[in-house]
Amino acid sequence: RARADSLARRFGVERVLTSIDELASLRVDVAHLLTPPDTHVALVGRLLDMGVSVFAEKPLEALRRVWRAAR
């Protein structure tokens, strides 16, 4: 958290979240997923369930799992 806060101050980022659950109280339309690739499928599903559109760079072989989560 300290590193994220430091980088946020450096680059003028207004808010740092350390849990996907923190998005529930915010009016977020889209999220850019910047987590380790092995977390993407589960997090895409959770974000979509929250009504948040997701941008996540995925290796082609994981595309089917992400597509199923999105459906």
PDB file of all heavy atoms in Angstrom, residues 28-53:
ATOM      1  N   VAL A  28     -17.854   3.280 -10.911  1.00  0.00           N
ATOM      2  CA  VAL A  28     -16.815   2.947 -11.879  1.00  0.00           C
ATOM      3  C   VAL A  28     -17.464   2.325 -13.114  1.00  0.00           C
ATOM      4  O   VAL A  28     -18.254   1.393 -13.002  1.00  0.00           O
ATOM      5  CB  VAL A  28     -15.791   1.966 -11.257  1.00  0.00           C
ATOM      6  CG1 VAL A  28     -14.774   1.513 -12.274  1.00  0.00           C
ATOM      7  CG2 VAL A  28     -15.109   2.616 -10.064  1.00  0.00           C
ATOM      8  N   ASP A  29     -17.124   2.860 -14.284  1.00  0.00           N
ATOM      9  CA  ASP A  29     -17.648   2.314 -15.538  1.00  0.00           C
ATOM     10  C   ASP A  29     -16.731   1.258 -16.135  1.00  0.00           C
ATOM     11  O   ASP A  29     -17.184   0.283 -16.720  1.00  0.00           O
ATOM     12  CB  ASP A  29     -17.828   3.426 -16.565  1.00  0.00           C
ATOM     13  CG  ASP A  29     -18.895   4.421 -16.162  1.00  0.00           C
ATOM     14  OD1 ASP A  29     -19.945   3.989 -15.645  1.00  0.00           O
ATOM     15  OD2 ASP A  29     -18.683   5.627 -16.360  1.00  0.00           O
ATOM     16  N   VAL A  30     -15.423   1.472 -15.997  1.00  0.00           N
ATOM     17  CA  VAL A  30     -14.457   0.562 -16.613  1.00  0.00           C
ATOM     18  C   VAL A  30     -13.217   0.461 -15.722  1.00  0.00           C
ATOM     19  O   VAL A  30     -12.856   1.421 -15.049  1.00  0.00           O
ATOM     20  CB  VAL A  30     -14.074   1.026 -18.044  1.00  0.00           C
ATOM     21  CG1 VAL A  30     -13.358   2.352 -18.024  1.00  0.00           C
ATOM     22  CG2 VAL A  30     -13.267  -0.026 -18.767  1.00  0.00           C
ATOM     23  N   ALA A  31     -12.608  -0.707 -15.726  1.00  0.00           N
ATOM     24  CA  ALA A  31     -11.376  -0.927 -14.966  1.00  0.00           C
ATOM     25  C   ALA A  31     -10.319  -1.506 -15.895  1.00  0.00           C
ATOM     26  O   ALA A  31     -10.618  -2.347 -16.739  1.00  0.00           O
ATOM     27  CB  ALA A  31     -11.613  -1.888 -13.796  1.00  0.00           C
ATOM     28  N   HIS A  32      -9.097  -1.035 -15.757  1.00  0.00           N
ATOM     29  CA  HIS A  32      -7.962  -1.610 -16.477  1.00  0.00           C
ATOM     30  C   HIS A  32      -7.268  -2.514 -15.476  1.00  0.00           C
ATOM     31  O   HIS A  32      -6.748  -2.057 -14.466  1.00  0.00           O
ATOM     32  CB  HIS A  32      -7.023  -0.500 -16.948  1.00  0.00           C
ATOM     33  CG  HIS A  32      -5.942  -0.992 -17.846  1.00  0.00           C
ATOM     34  ND1 HIS A  32      -5.161  -0.156 -18.568  1.00  0.00           N
ATOM     35  CD2 HIS A  32      -5.511  -2.243 -18.151  1.00  0.00           C
ATOM     36  CE1 HIS A  32      -4.289  -0.847 -19.266  1.00  0.00           C
ATOM     37  NE2 HIS A  32      -4.488  -2.117 -19.021  1.00  0.00           N
ATOM     38  N   LEU A  33      -7.285  -3.786 -15.750  1.00  0.00           N
ATOM     39  CA  LEU A  33      -6.762  -4.786 -14.827  1.00  0.00           C
ATOM     40  C   LEU A  33      -5.245  -4.865 -14.954  1.00  0.00           C
ATOM     41  O   LEU A  33      -4.725  -5.263 -15.990  1.00  0.00           O
ATOM     42  CB  LEU A  33      -7.411  -6.135 -15.141  1.00  0.00           C
ATOM     43  CG  LEU A  33      -7.446  -7.170 -14.040  1.00  0.00           C
ATOM     44  CD1 LEU A  33      -8.037  -6.622 -12.760  1.00  0.00           C
ATOM     45  CD2 LEU A  33      -8.237  -8.366 -14.502  1.00  0.00           C
ATOM     46  N   LEU A  34      -4.551  -4.480 -13.902  1.00  0.00           N
ATOM     47  CA  LEU A  34      -3.087  -4.459 -13.893  1.00  0.00           C
ATOM     48  C   LEU A  34      -2.558  -5.351 -12.776  1.00  0.00           C
ATOM     49  O   LEU A  34      -1.742  -4.942 -11.965  1.00  0.00           O
ATOM     50  CB  LEU A  34      -2.586  -3.015 -13.707  1.00  0.00           C
ATOM     51  CG  LEU A  34      -3.056  -2.030 -14.772  1.00  0.00           C
ATOM     52  CD1 LEU A  34      -2.702  -0.610 -14.391  1.00  0.00           C
ATOM     53  CD2 LEU A  34      -2.472  -2.389 -16.116  1.00  0.00           C
ATOM     54  N   THR A  35      -3.040  -6.562 -12.756  1.00  0.00           N
ATOM     55  CA  THR A  35      -2.635  -7.536 -11.749  1.00  0.00           C
ATOM     56  C   THR A  35      -1.894  -8.671 -12.445  1.00  0.00           C
ATOM     57  O   THR A  35      -1.901  -8.764 -13.667  1.00  0.00           O
ATOM     58  CB  THR A  35      -3.869  -8.087 -11.012  1.00  0.00           C
ATOM     59  OG1 THR A  35      -4.734  -8.701 -11.969  1.00  0.00           O
ATOM     60  CG2 THR A  35      -4.619  -6.978 -10.277  1.00  0.00           C
ATOM     61  N   PRO A  36      -1.257  -9.548 -11.679  1.00  0.00           N
ATOM     62  CA  PRO A  36      -0.580 -10.688 -12.312  1.00  0.00           C
ATOM     63  C   PRO A  36      -1.555 -11.485 -13.184  1.00  0.00           C
ATOM     64  O   PRO A  36      -2.733 -11.638 -12.824  1.00  0.00           O
ATOM     65  CB  PRO A  36      -0.087 -11.517 -11.120  1.00  0.00           C
ATOM     66  CG  PRO A  36       0.060 -10.515 -10.016  1.00  0.00           C
ATOM     67  CD  PRO A  36      -1.058  -9.528 -10.226  1.00  0.00           C
ATOM     68  N   PRO A  37      -1.092 -11.969 -14.334  1.00  0.00           N
ATOM     69  CA  PRO A  37      -1.969 -12.664 -15.281  1.00  0.00           C
ATOM     70  C   PRO A  37      -2.774 -13.816 -14.695  1.00  0.00           C
ATOM     71  O   PRO A  37      -3.911 -14.034 -15.100  1.00  0.00           O
ATOM     72  CB  PRO A  37      -1.004 -13.169 -16.355  1.00  0.00           C
ATOM     73  CG  PRO A  37       0.129 -12.214 -16.307  1.00  0.00           C
ATOM     74  CD  PRO A  37       0.270 -11.829 -14.856  1.00  0.00           C
ATOM     75  N   ASP A  38      -2.240 -14.527 -13.716  1.00  0.00           N
ATOM     76  CA  ASP A  38      -2.980 -15.661 -13.171  1.00  0.00           C
ATOM     77  C   ASP A  38      -4.193 -15.235 -12.345  1.00  0.00           C
ATOM     78  O   ASP A  38      -5.006 -16.070 -11.967  1.00  0.00           O
ATOM     79  CB  ASP A  38      -2.058 -16.579 -12.366  1.00  0.00           C
ATOM     80  CG  ASP A  38      -1.440 -15.906 -11.160  1.00  0.00           C
ATOM     81  OD1 ASP A  38      -1.155 -14.698 -11.219  1.00  0.00           O
ATOM     82  OD2 ASP A  38      -1.239 -16.595 -10.137  1.00  0.00           O
ATOM     83  N   THR A  39      -4.360 -13.951 -12.075  1.00  0.00           N
ATOM     84  CA  THR A  39      -5.525 -13.463 -11.337  1.00  0.00           C
ATOM     85  C   THR A  39      -6.615 -12.929 -12.255  1.00  0.00           C
ATOM     86  O   THR A  39      -7.723 -12.656 -11.801  1.00  0.00           O
ATOM     87  CB  THR A  39      -5.127 -12.339 -10.358  1.00  0.00           C
ATOM     88  OG1 THR A  39      -4.703 -11.189 -11.109  1.00  0.00           O
ATOM     89  CG2 THR A  39      -4.023 -12.774  -9.412  1.00  0.00           C
ATOM     90  N   HIS A  40      -6.324 -12.780 -13.539  1.00  0.00           N
ATOM     91  CA  HIS A  40      -7.236 -12.085 -14.439  1.00  0.00           C
ATOM     92  C   HIS A  40      -8.597 -12.749 -14.589  1.00  0.00           C
ATOM     93  O   HIS A  40      -9.618 -12.068 -14.542  1.00  0.00           O
ATOM     94  CB  HIS A  40      -6.599 -11.905 -15.813  1.00  0.00           C
ATOM     95  CG  HIS A  40      -5.541 -10.863 -15.830  1.00  0.00           C
ATOM     96  ND1 HIS A  40      -4.949 -10.435 -16.984  1.00  0.00           N
ATOM     97  CD2 HIS A  40      -4.954 -10.154 -14.833  1.00  0.00           C
ATOM     98  CE1 HIS A  40      -4.048  -9.509 -16.705  1.00  0.00           C
ATOM     99  NE2 HIS A  40      -4.025  -9.334 -15.409  1.00  0.00           N
ATOM    100  N   VAL A  41      -8.651 -14.044 -14.786  1.00  0.00           N
ATOM    101  CA  VAL A  41      -9.933 -14.700 -15.051  1.00  0.00           C
ATOM    102  C   VAL A  41     -10.893 -14.482 -13.883  1.00  0.00           C
ATOM    103  O   VAL A  41     -12.039 -14.080 -14.075  1.00  0.00           O
ATOM    104  CB  VAL A  41      -9.744 -16.200 -15.355  1.00  0.00           C
ATOM    105  CG1 VAL A  41     -11.090 -16.902 -15.451  1.00  0.00           C
ATOM    106  CG2 VAL A  41      -8.956 -16.379 -16.643  1.00  0.00           C
ATOM    107  N   ALA A  42     -10.443 -14.714 -12.677  1.00  0.00           N
ATOM    108  CA  ALA A  42     -11.314 -14.533 -11.503  1.00  0.00           C
ATOM    109  C   ALA A  42     -11.711 -13.075 -11.326  1.00  0.00           C
ATOM    110  O   ALA A  42     -12.880 -12.773 -11.044  1.00  0.00           O
ATOM    111  CB  ALA A  42     -10.608 -15.044 -10.248  1.00  0.00           C
ATOM    112  N   LEU A  43     -10.768 -12.158 -11.511  1.00  0.00           N
ATOM    113  CA  LEU A  43     -11.074 -10.744 -11.303  1.00  0.00           C
ATOM    114  C   LEU A  43     -11.978 -10.189 -12.398  1.00  0.00           C
ATOM    115  O   LEU A  43     -12.850  -9.357 -12.120  1.00  0.00           O
ATOM    116  CB  LEU A  43      -9.794  -9.931 -11.198  1.00  0.00           C
ATOM    117  CG  LEU A  43      -8.964 -10.195  -9.941  1.00  0.00           C
ATOM    118  CD1 LEU A  43      -7.672  -9.394  -9.968  1.00  0.00           C
ATOM    119  CD2 LEU A  43      -9.759  -9.898  -8.683  1.00  0.00           C
ATOM    120  N   VAL A  44     -11.803 -10.641 -13.629  1.00  0.00           N
ATOM    121  CA  VAL A  44     -12.706 -10.213 -14.704  1.00  0.00           C
ATOM    122  C   VAL A  44     -14.134 -10.604 -14.343  1.00  0.00           C
ATOM    123  O   VAL A  44     -15.061  -9.799 -14.455  1.00  0.00           O
ATOM    124  CB  VAL A  44     -12.292 -10.821 -16.063  1.00  0.00           C
ATOM    125  CG1 VAL A  44     -13.414 -10.691 -17.078  1.00  0.00           C
ATOM    126  CG2 VAL A  44     -11.034 -10.151 -16.588  1.00  0.00           C
ATOM    127  N   GLY A  45     -14.321 -11.812 -13.891  1.00  0.00           N
ATOM    128  CA  GLY A  45     -15.656 -12.264 -13.497  1.00  0.00           C
ATOM    129  C   GLY A  45     -16.249 -11.425 -12.390  1.00  0.00           C
ATOM    130  O   GLY A  45     -17.417 -11.028 -12.449  1.00  0.00           O
ATOM    131  N   ARG A  46     -15.463 -11.129 -11.377  1.00  0.00           N
ATOM    132  CA  ARG A  46     -15.962 -10.312 -10.257  1.00  0.00           C
ATOM    133  C   ARG A  46     -16.315  -8.905 -10.706  1.00  0.00           C
ATOM    134  O   ARG A  46     -17.342  -8.355 -10.312  1.00  0.00           O
ATOM    135  CB  ARG A  46     -14.931 -10.266  -9.134  1.00  0.00           C
ATOM    136  CG  ARG A  46     -14.832 -11.603  -8.412  1.00  0.00           C
ATOM    137  CD  ARG A  46     -13.948 -11.563  -7.207  1.00  0.00           C
ATOM    138  NE  ARG A  46     -14.487 -10.675  -6.191  1.00  0.00           N
ATOM    139  CZ  ARG A  46     -13.766 -10.156  -5.211  1.00  0.00           C
ATOM    140  NH1 ARG A  46     -12.484 -10.446  -5.126  1.00  0.00           N
ATOM    141  NH2 ARG A  46     -14.311  -9.362  -4.317  1.00  0.00           N
ATOM    142  N   LEU A  47     -15.457  -8.313 -11.532  1.00  0.00           N
ATOM    143  CA  LEU A  47     -15.725  -6.954 -12.012  1.00  0.00           C
ATOM    144  C   LEU A  47     -16.988  -6.917 -12.867  1.00  0.00           C
ATOM    145  O   LEU A  47     -17.830  -6.027 -12.716  1.00  0.00           O
ATOM    146  CB  LEU A  47     -14.531  -6.419 -12.799  1.00  0.00           C
ATOM    147  CG  LEU A  47     -13.323  -6.042 -11.947  1.00  0.00           C
ATOM    148  CD1 LEU A  47     -12.083  -5.907 -12.815  1.00  0.00           C
ATOM    149  CD2 LEU A  47     -13.585  -4.752 -11.179  1.00  0.00           C
ATOM    150  N   LEU A  48     -17.131  -7.880 -13.758  1.00  0.00           N
ATOM    151  CA  LEU A  48     -18.323  -7.908 -14.594  1.00  0.00           C
ATOM    152  C   LEU A  48     -19.586  -8.110 -13.759  1.00  0.00           C
ATOM    153  O   LEU A  48     -20.620  -7.502 -14.034  1.00  0.00           O
ATOM    154  CB  LEU A  48     -18.194  -8.999 -15.661  1.00  0.00           C
ATOM    155  CG  LEU A  48     -17.130  -8.727 -16.723  1.00  0.00           C
ATOM    156  CD1 LEU A  48     -16.958  -9.949 -17.615  1.00  0.00           C
ATOM    157  CD2 LEU A  48     -17.461  -7.495 -17.544  1.00  0.00           C
ATOM    158  N   ASP A  49     -19.505  -8.929 -12.722  1.00  0.00           N
ATOM    159  CA  ASP A  49     -20.644  -9.111 -11.814  1.00  0.00           C
ATOM    160  C   ASP A  49     -21.017  -7.801 -11.120  1.00  0.00           C
ATOM    161  O   ASP A  49     -22.165  -7.585 -10.759  1.00  0.00           O
ATOM    162  CB  ASP A  49     -20.340 -10.169 -10.751  1.00  0.00           C
ATOM    163  CG  ASP A  49     -20.375 -11.585 -11.301  1.00  0.00           C
ATOM    164  OD1 ASP A  49     -20.931 -11.784 -12.404  1.00  0.00           O
ATOM    165  OD2 ASP A  49     -19.845 -12.480 -10.618  1.00  0.00           O
ATOM    166  N   MET A  50     -20.026  -6.915 -10.935  1.00  0.00           N
ATOM    167  CA  MET A  50     -20.259  -5.613 -10.307  1.00  0.00           C
ATOM    168  C   MET A  50     -20.755  -4.585 -11.323  1.00  0.00           C
ATOM    169  O   MET A  50     -21.017  -3.440 -10.971  1.00  0.00           O
ATOM    170  CB  MET A  50     -18.970  -5.109  -9.656  1.00  0.00           C
ATOM    171  CG  MET A  50     -18.502  -5.961  -8.496  1.00  0.00           C
ATOM    172  SD  MET A  50     -16.804  -5.574  -7.968  1.00  0.00           S
ATOM    173  CE  MET A  50     -16.999  -3.917  -7.338  1.00  0.00           C
ATOM    174  N   GLY A  51     -20.863  -4.981 -12.584  1.00  0.00           N
ATOM    175  CA  GLY A  51     -21.317  -4.065 -13.618  1.00  0.00           C
ATOM    176  C   GLY A  51     -20.223  -3.182 -14.181  1.00  0.00           C
ATOM    177  O   GLY A  51     -20.497  -2.163 -14.805  1.00  0.00           O
ATOM    178  N   VAL A  52     -18.972  -3.576 -13.974  1.00  0.00           N
ATOM    179  CA  VAL A  52     -17.825  -2.805 -14.442  1.00  0.00           C
ATOM    180  C   VAL A  52     -17.274  -3.451 -15.710  1.00  0.00           C
ATOM    181  O   VAL A  52     -17.018  -4.656 -15.727  1.00  0.00           O
ATOM    182  CB  VAL A  52     -16.721  -2.758 -13.357  1.00  0.00           C
ATOM    183  CG1 VAL A  52     -15.496  -2.014 -13.848  1.00  0.00           C
ATOM    184  CG2 VAL A  52     -17.259  -2.126 -12.069  1.00  0.00           C
ATOM    185  N   SER A  53     -17.116  -2.656 -16.769  1.00  0.00           N
ATOM    186  CA  SER A  53     -16.454  -3.153 -17.971  1.00  0.00           C
ATOM    187  C   SER A  53     -14.971  -3.290 -17.671  1.00  0.00           C
ATOM    188  O   SER A  53     -14.432  -2.564 -16.838  1.00  0.00           O
ATOM    189  CB  SER A  53     -16.650  -2.181 -19.131  1.00  0.00           C
ATOM    190  OG  SER A  53     -18.016  -2.085 -19.455  1.00  0.00           O
TER     191      SER A  53
END
